[in-house]
Amino acid sequence: MSDKAFLDLNGEKFELPISKGTEDELAIDISNLRSATSGYITLDPGYKNTGSCESAITFLDGEKGILRYRGYAIEELAEKATFLEVAFLLIFGELPTKEQLEKFHKDIKSHCIVDDDVKKILDAFPKSAHPMGVLASLTSALTAFNPSSVNVESEQDMYNAIVRILAKFPVLVAWTLRKKNGLPLDYGDKSIGYVENTLKMMFKQPNEEYEHNDVMIDALDKLLILHADHEQNCSTSTVRIVGSSHAGLFASISAGISALWGPLHGGANQAVLEMLEAIKADGGDTKKYMAKAKDKSDPFRLMGFGHRVYKNFDPRAKIIKKSADEVLGQLGVDDPILDIAKGLEKEALEDSYFVDRKLYPNVDFYSGIIYRAMGIPTDMFTVMFALGRLPGWIAQWREMRLRKEPIGRPRQLYMGETYRKFTEIEYR
Ligand code: ACO
């Protein structure tokens, strides 16, 4: 096979190098196309065929349903690793030794205080504010309280910014929920695990001892691992592109949170639950909603179905479906919503509309059901996704900075008016 591609433009031949990834993925390198062809660019709305970078963090094969972080299969990581181990793996490239993990956790814990003045910002939000908007704002505000996180010239500077955001983010997540629930804000407990502490910060009542629940800790750990990275998706690309201007880590993460918010991306977990609730309230007629999803004149889509990259089963959805059954059983929750979800999935997998378009349940089809069983309100689901995705965003931002990638700046094909002479207002 040739390691070059050839482009014939009006009879002139251009040679384009071909790059091969470690998993044999192939890419035509067009980085010199515009200068070589005096002006031609490629056009690819939605970037369906465009690689924005080389990356060594996450591999996914959407046709085969494979997802690996740094070479390790998601199935094995979800079963055997903790979220903090996975965070270390994603960010620094290798599974940590016991000592490395302890140091990492210790460094994170040493930065878990969020400046008390951040509470004033939180106070200014109405209780009805969507938690994703609150989280994005507070994360951005953290920059003002940690100005040294912006100028990262060395790996040590980066490390300092990374442990700070990993420490403070769960506090912001918990505060967002507590504000919603009218509970006093808390700074957590340094003596316990990262995920355990997150749950305690979220749910501890001011007037009673907090009881740890191992089922909840395990379930959240697994959900966070499954969401930890997913290569160049919408929010991750946002983090990389914002960071490419050398904006700081916190500002880049804040932009990622905003990108994740939308219902076509992370917001799907909230949308799935709302859809299942609506079907239940409407008498549980799944067939009616299947028909709506297939009707091109109806904007309704089966939320939690379909994926830009997975054209086979999302491997995370398989793990989550099993986990949903286990967690609800162990927590003693009997949720009719789970039966509606299973019914919809069964019908969709047998329906030619979904089969032909390779539409399978994605990671978020079942995650909301678990969050709900854990007592997390629906509008906090995407916040939980953001907490899980944080190590991935950090890893991608760090990789982009270490590789000294140029500022992200796509081109366009201008389709507007050509030059027009200005007309003074009295003549328009
Ligand atoms: N319900 C009904 N039809 C669907 C659905 C769905 N959920 N998803 C895709 N389709 C149909 C489209 O109408 C289109 O049909 P057509 O070819 O007849 O026009 C075809 O399948 C292809 O769909 P596209 O939107 O072109 O696929 P794309 O790759 O651009 O979009 C996306 C992927 C955004 C995830 C889409 O499947 C969707 O909207 N799903 C529902 C929202 C969702 O669950 N998002 C979460 C994604 S996972 C995540 O971010 C964590």
Side-chain angles (χ1 to χ4, degrees):
M1 194 196 70
S2 164
D3 55 359
K4 291 183 182 64
F6 296 92
L7 177 69
D8 194 330
L9 274 178
N10 306 323
E12 203 182 340
K13 259 196 163 184
F14 296 92
E15 214 178 272
L16 299 166
I18 289 186
S19 294
K20 191 172 178 179
T22 51
E23 290 281 355
D24 294 337
E25 289 175 303
L26 296 168
I28 300 171
D29 181 346
I30 56 145
S31 47
N32 293 323
L33 181 73
R34 192 166 175 274
S35 53
T37 60
S38 51
Y40 280 87
I41 60 164
T42 55
L43 200 57
D44 185 20
Y47 312 119
K48 291 192 178 192
N49 308 281
T50 298
S52 59
C53 59
E54 288 182 358
S55 179
I57 301 171
T58 289
F59 171 69
L60 76 89
D61 183 328
E63 272 71 34
K64 296 191 185 133
I66 293 174
L67 173 62
R68 296 187 203 126
Y69 298 159
R70 301 282 189 181
Y72 296 100
I74 190 66
E75 292 81 1
E76 253 189 300
L77 291 170
E79 198 191 320
K80 297 178 184 162
T82 64
F83 177 58
L84 217 50
E85 266 180 291
V86 169
F88 188 99
L89 170 71
L90 283 168
I91 298 169
F92 303 111
E94 295 296 337
L95 284 167
T97 61
K98 215 163 170 282
E99 292 71 33
Q100 284 172 324
L101 187 62
E102 270 166 23
K103 179 179 181 311
F104 188 45
H105 195 192
K106 191 164 158 259
D107 291 342
I108 292 171
K109 285 192 283 194
S110 70
H111 291 291
C112 61
I113 297 294
V114 170
D115 194 297
D116 221 46
D117 278 346
V118 174
K119 289 180 181 168
K120 293 183 191 151
I121 304 175
L122 184 63
D123 262 348
F125 283 96
K127 267 211 183 100
S128 58
H130 193 285
M132 282 300 272
V134 177
L135 186 68
S137 307
L138 295 184
T139 305
S140 181
L142 277 185
T143 310
F145 295 92
N146 302 271
S148 64
S149 68
V150 179
N151 296 320
V152 286
E153 298 309 331
S154 66
E155 281 214 45
Q156 187 58 46
D157 290 344
M158 272 189 204
Y159 184 79
N160 294 340
I162 289 169
V163 289
R164 277 182 171 79
I165 190 77
L166 281 168
K168 298 176 198 306
F169 201 72
V171 180
L172 299 186
V173 166
W175 283 8
T176 305
L177 176 65
R178 294 183 81 83
K179 160 88 181 176
K180 226 178 107 60
N181 290 342
L183 288 171
L185 307 182
D186 190 85
Y187 284 94
D189 181 348
K190 270 171 113 170
S191 67
I192 56 177
Y194 188 84
V195 172
E196 202 175 341
N197 184 36
T198 304
L199 282 169
K200 184 174 176 183
M201 283 192 290
M202 288 168 73
F203 292 117
K204 187 182 178 321
Q205 296 297 311
N207 53 353
E208 59 187 51
E209 277 297 305
Y210 179 76
E211 273 186 44
H212 295 284
N213 182 324
D214 286 340
V215 175
M216 292 221 331
I217 297 169
D218 283 354
L220 183 56
D221 212 270
K222 198 172 275 188
L223 279 169
L224 297 179
I225 290 172
L226 294 178
H227 285 90
D229 195 47
H230 213 235
E231 53 119 299
Q232 309 311 316
N233 54 80
C234 177
S235 58
T236 301
S237 302
T238 303
V239 169
R240 278 184 95 123
I241 209 163
V242 172
S244 76
S245 74
H246 292 198
L249 175 61
F250 301 174
S252 308
I253 300 286
S254 168
I257 297 168
S258 298
L260 187 72
W261 189 355
L264 298 191
H265 190 14
N269 55 14
Q270 174 175 344
V272 170
L273 229 283
E274 285 165 357
M275 173 189 79
L276 295 173
E277 281 287 7
I279 297 175
K280 185 177 151 228
D282 197 18
D285 184 357
T286 48
K287 293 211 163 43
K288 176 174 163 189
Y289 284 84
M290 288 290 289
K292 272 167 78 63
K294 293 189 283 182
D295 179 356
K296 291 289 166 202
S297 62
D298 189 326
F300 176 79
R301 277 191 169 195
L302 198 54
M303 298 313 288
F305 258 75
H307 197 277
R308 170 57 63 81
V309 184
Y310 290 119
K311 301 302 172 194
N312 192 329
F313 234 93
D314 179 339
R316 303 166 301 173
K318 277 190 194 166
I319 302 170
I320 286 197
K321 183 181 176 185
K322 192 163 161 271
S323 183
D325 269 329
E326 287 165 8
V327 173
L328 267 63
Q330 285 163 350
L331 293 177
V333 176
D334 182 16
D335 193 342
I337 288 285
L338 182 60
D339 296 328
I340 294 179
K342 283 183 179 168
L344 273 179
E345 179 187 338
K346 189 168 176 298
E347 280 171 42
L349 294 180
E350 289 165 359
D351 190 302
S352 62
Y353 174 95
F354 289 88
V355 175
D356 294 350
R357 289 172 179 76
K358 299 189 166 74
L359 299 169
Y360 293 89
N362 60 49
V363 65
D364 284 322
F365 193 63
Y366 285 103
S367 65
I369 294 171
I370 306 182
Y371 287 137
R372 188 162 116 127
M374 292 167 84
I376 298 173
T378 314
D379 61 1
M380 280 293 292
F381 291 176
T382 318
V383 166
M384 303 314 290
F385 187 158
L387 180 66
R389 185 52 56 86
L390 181 65
W393 287 333
I394 294 172
Q396 302 273 351
W397 172 87
R398 181 174 176 271
E399 180 180 73
M400 181 269 310
R401 290 299 301 262
L402 289 178
R403 285 176 187 244
K404 302 198 183 324
E405 281 177 15
I407 187 165
R409 204 303 187 183
R411 291 268 170 183
Q412 65 166 10
L413 192 60
Y414 177 68
M415 303 293 267
E417 299 286 350
T418 54
Y419 175 73
R420 296 196 275 179
K421 200 165 161 26
F422 183 79
T423 317
E424 277 74 9
I425 196 158
E426 56 270 26
Y427 299 112
R428 280 177 228 158

